[in-house]
Amino acid sequence: VLLRRLFTVSSLKRFLFFFVTDTIIIASSLYLSFLLRFDFKLPYEYEGLITRVLPLFLVLKLSAFALFRMYKITWRYVGLSDLQNIVLALAVSESLLMLLILIPFPPAITSYLPGFLSFNFSTGFPRSVFLIDWTMSLVLLSGLRISKRVFLEIVLKKRFTKIGKRTIIIGAGNTGEMILRDIARHNFTDFYPIGFLDDDIRKIGAYIHGIKVIGSTDKLQDSIRKYSVEAIIIAIPALNHKLLKDFYETAKTAKVGTIKIVPRIYDFHKPDVNLKNLEDISIEDIIGRQTVDIDFGEIEKFLRDKVILVTGAGGSIGSEITIQVCAFNPKKIILFDIDETELHDMVFKLKRKFPYLYESGSERVFSVVGDIRDKGRIDTIFERFNPQIVFHAAAYKHVPMMEHNPAEAVTTNIFGTYNIAKAASENGVEKFIMISTDKAVMPTSIMGATKRMAEYICQSFDTVSGQRSAVSSQPASFPSTTDFISVRFGNVLGSRGSVLPLFLEQLKNGGPLTVTHK
């Protein structure tokens, strides 16, 4: 137990370790600087001088290190910004040392200074020692702080060569580099990269963290055969579906067992990609749907720093809306759903994807269990959170199920929508977006008819809002106008109850594949 406590990492232990080692480095660097200055034949009189100036070097340098947060550096993940702080801390401390040592103080001042400052160092102190000491300190301090990362990512690399799957990373850009760094952090236990493929001819032959860009993407088949590749990671977020399909078919033909791809949409404010983000290629990725260019800048203006309510947040569409809204840094987001299990799972997913939204003292995600048919519950939520934007995705959507339960479809899709829309209008919501369906066009089913009525409700409230905006002497009780918008979705590929998951489940059980149309 004592040994475990002794070797358990803590902020205090890390600070003491670096403080002690920095003290040793400062003293060693000063002594070595004098030795180098005098070709390792140090005159006797300078030994006393070193002893006199050492306290000054220690005080100024250690203070500068603390000022530039060198004791806050995470040893395992030291980066260029940390090395920059070391350079600046040494530059500031050496400049102050030169100022104090080379410029003589008047006797009236030196009489009030501590003993190690009262001596006039300007006589006989070698100026070149400052440059030598700066260089020596930089090498030793930087070397200490990058030593753990070098050991884990370079020295131990050979140990794990045969553990991870031999992997080709397609894409040698920023995303590929982030994936490689995370593979190294995991000691190559899952993947062992043997090379990159990239279509930028300027990168071919170059090395990224010691891994070579071995060729262009059209060399994938040859590279798989040549290097006995076991896994492929596609690190190009905005990849054309035809190329993705070609990569997938080439890899499967070559018997590559593992094919991973980075998510197409991830956190735009903290776009770090790591092994946990990687996904398997799904059918949706390679069937070739029409590409939609999205103006993320305008969406960010619309959502950033806003209070947003999503009804049906645990459902297929509501959950995807929630994830994408969170990527645009809302002020608050309220997840409203009747299904506590789906809501619970959604919260865990958001904590993993957007941990900064749950930082202590600034929690911005609120999960609320409730029913849109409960008007009192709706009013309470609007009064408490005062949302500015509402995405209304709560509804019953399965056509055959609602044919057998028409009363539930009416009370939820019609009256539930009315409750939400009325609360939005009364509380001055800026935008109300209702998720409708193509089945609301000339409806032939109960579900389609109820969604058509929900559209009429939103149109009516939008008309009332427009009339209010035209009235200059409206009563004070009238809220600000609300824009009501209905968007009709067709079949959403991969959503719960849609045809694709049904077909996949039928295939797993040996078929047959069934369709509803004759």
Side-chain angles (χ1 to χ4, degrees):
V1 173
L2 289 174
L3 285 174
R4 192 183 304 120
R5 288 179 180 176
L6 180 63
F7 289 101
T8 300
V9 178
S10 69
S11 299
L12 177 61
K13 290 176 183 176
R14 182 175 60 191
F15 168 76
L16 291 175
F17 171 77
F18 281 111
F19 186 83
V20 172
T21 52
D22 286 351
T23 302
I24 296 171
I25 286 173
I26 292 168
S28 303
S29 176
L30 179 62
Y31 186 72
L32 288 172
S33 299
F34 273 91
L35 285 179
L36 290 172
R37 169 64 178 78
F38 293 102
D39 298 325
F40 292 91
K41 296 178 182 179
L42 185 63
Y44 175 76
E45 60 270 20
Y46 282 101
E47 293 181 3
L49 182 61
I50 294 173
T51 305
R52 296 289 302 279
V53 299
L54 180 58
L56 182 61
F57 271 66
L58 288 172
V59 170
L60 286 180
K61 285 193 175 183
L62 291 173
S63 300
F65 296 169
L67 180 65
F68 283 90
R69 301 188 300 277
M70 284 175 55
Y71 297 115
K72 299 291 185 180
I73 292 175
T74 303
W75 197 6
R76 173 65 178 86
Y77 302 114
V78 63
L80 292 178
S81 60
D82 300 316
L83 296 179
Q84 181 184 14
N85 284 342
I86 295 174
V87 172
L88 292 174
L90 286 172
V92 169
S93 58
E94 292 287 353
S95 300
L96 289 174
L97 286 167
M98 291 177 66
L99 180 67
L100 292 172
I101 291 174
L102 298 182
I103 299 177
F105 290 103
I109 295 178
T110 54
S111 61
Y112 293 100
L113 295 175
F116 64 87
L117 281 177
S118 61
F119 181 80
N120 189 353
F121 295 124
S122 61
T123 57
F125 195 99
R127 291 167 174 79
S128 58
V129 166
F130 294 107
L131 179 59
I132 299 171
D133 178 66
W134 183 87
T135 306
M136 191 76 64
S137 298
L138 179 62
V139 172
L140 294 175
L141 291 166
S142 302
L144 173 66
R145 280 161 172 79
I146 68 171
S147 59
K148 186 173 183 178
R149 183 170 176 180
V150 169
F151 177 74
L152 293 175
E153 297 184 13
I154 297 178
V155 176
L156 286 185
K157 181 177 177 180
K158 295 180 180 179
R159 273 188 57 193
F160 297 98
T161 301
K162 295 183 180 180
I163 294 181
K165 297 176 182 178
R166 295 176 62 81
T167 304
I168 281 181
I169 301 174
I170 299 178
N174 292 333
T175 304
E177 188 268 342
M178 284 190 283
I179 289 293
L180 178 57
R181 278 196 282 119
D182 201 56
I183 289 174
R185 290 192 191 108
H186 287 79
N187 298 324
F188 304 94
T189 52
D190 298 315
F191 302 97
Y192 179 69
I194 50 88
F196 285 93
L197 294 178
D198 198 283
D199 286 333
D200 188 344
I201 59 174
R202 296 171 297 179
K203 295 179 180 177
I204 296 175
Y207 286 81
I208 301 174
H209 301 311
I211 304 299
K212 186 178 181 180
V213 182
I214 56 180
S216 58
T217 56
D218 58 5
K219 303 294 184 185
L220 177 59
Q221 187 173 4
D222 295 336
S223 299
I224 292 172
R225 189 184 308 112
K226 181 178 178 180
Y227 297 102
S228 302
V229 173
E230 301 170 283
I232 290 174
I233 297 175
I234 302 173
I236 308 174
L239 185 64
N240 180 283
H241 81 275
K242 291 182 180 179
L243 279 176
L244 179 59
K245 186 176 181 180
D246 290 342
F247 293 155
Y248 181 80
E249 291 178 348
T250 300
K252 283 300 181 184
T253 302
K255 309 297 183 184
V256 175
T258 302
I259 308 170
K260 296 288 186 179
I261 187 171
V262 298
R264 292 180 178 271
I265 295 180
Y266 53 95
D267 189 351
F268 301 101
H269 301 278
K270 297 187 178 181
D272 294 325
V273 180
N274 53 47
L275 296 181
K276 291 188 292 184
N277 297 136
L278 297 180
E279 302 170 348
D280 293 319
I281 293 180
S282 62
I283 294 176
E284 298 97 305
D285 290 318
I286 58 177
I287 64 171
R289 287 174 294 171
Q290 180 183 359
T291 301
V292 178
D293 294 325
I294 300 172
D295 190 340
F296 291 111
E298 288 300 316
I299 295 175
E300 182 172 24
K301 291 179 185 178
F302 176 54
L303 299 175
R304 186 179 178 86
D305 294 327
K306 296 290 182 67
V307 179
I308 298 169
L309 169 66
V310 182
T311 69
S316 302
I317 296 171
S319 61
E320 186 62 27
I321 290 174
T322 298
I323 290 171
Q324 296 195 31
V325 165
C326 286
F328 290 99
N329 206 21
K331 183 178 181 180
K332 290 179 184 178
I333 180 167
I334 301 96
L335 315 181
F336 185 74
D337 203 292
I338 195 173
D339 191 329
E340 61 168 337
T341 302
E342 291 294 343
L343 208 55
H344 176 270
D345 294 342
M346 192 66 207
V347 169
F348 271 91
K349 185 183 294 185
L350 293 179
K351 283 183 178 180
R352 186 176 66 252
K353 283 180 172 287
F354 310 100
Y356 59 91
L357 294 177
Y358 289 87
E359 290 175 354
S360 179
S362 61
E363 185 176 339
R364 291 185 278 168
V365 181
F366 300 86
S367 52
V368 180
V369 177
D371 192 335
I372 60 173
R373 294 173 293 188
D374 185 345
K375 185 179 182 301
R377 182 65 167 156
I378 297 298
D379 291 339
T380 301
I381 292 169
F382 274 83
E383 289 172 8
R384 176 185 173 188
F385 295 104
N386 194 25
Q388 297 164 278
I389 298 171
V390 174
F391 288 96
H392 177 44
Y396 284 127
K397 67 174 186 175
H398 296 296
V399 174
M401 189 68 70
M402 292 304 101
E403 291 298 307
H404 299 291
N405 299 275
E408 292 300 307
V410 169
T411 54
T412 298
N413 294 358
I414 297 178
F415 294 115
T417 297
Y418 177 81
N419 291 337
I420 294 285
K422 186 171 185 291
S425 179
E426 291 177 344
N427 289 273
V429 169
E430 296 173 11
K431 299 280 185 181
F432 183 99
I433 300 99
M434 190 194 84
I435 310 303
S436 188
T437 173
D438 57 357
K439 295 173 182 63
V441 182
M442 299 179 66
T444 59
S445 65
I446 293 293
M447 196 280 284
T450 58
K451 295 296 281 187
R452 181 62 166 165
M453 280 298 299
E455 291 181 1
Y456 285 143
I457 290 168
C458 291
Q459 283 179 297
S460 298
F461 274 106
D462 192 61
T463 301
V464 172
S465 295
Q467 291 173 350
R468 286 175 179 171
S469 64
V471 177
S472 58
S473 58
Q474 61 184 13
S477 60
F478 273 43
S480 59
T481 59
T482 302
D483 289 332
F484 286 84
I485 304 157
S486 295
V487 291
R488 288 172 175 167
F489 283 22
N491 286 321
V492 179
L493 193 63
S495 63
R496 290 185 304 180
S498 65
V499 68
L500 185 58
L502 175 63
F503 282 172
L504 291 174
E505 187 64 29
Q506 290 174 335
L507 284 171
K508 287 178 184 177
N509 291 287
L513 302 185
T514 61
V515 293
T516 55
H517 192 277
K518 61 182 179 181

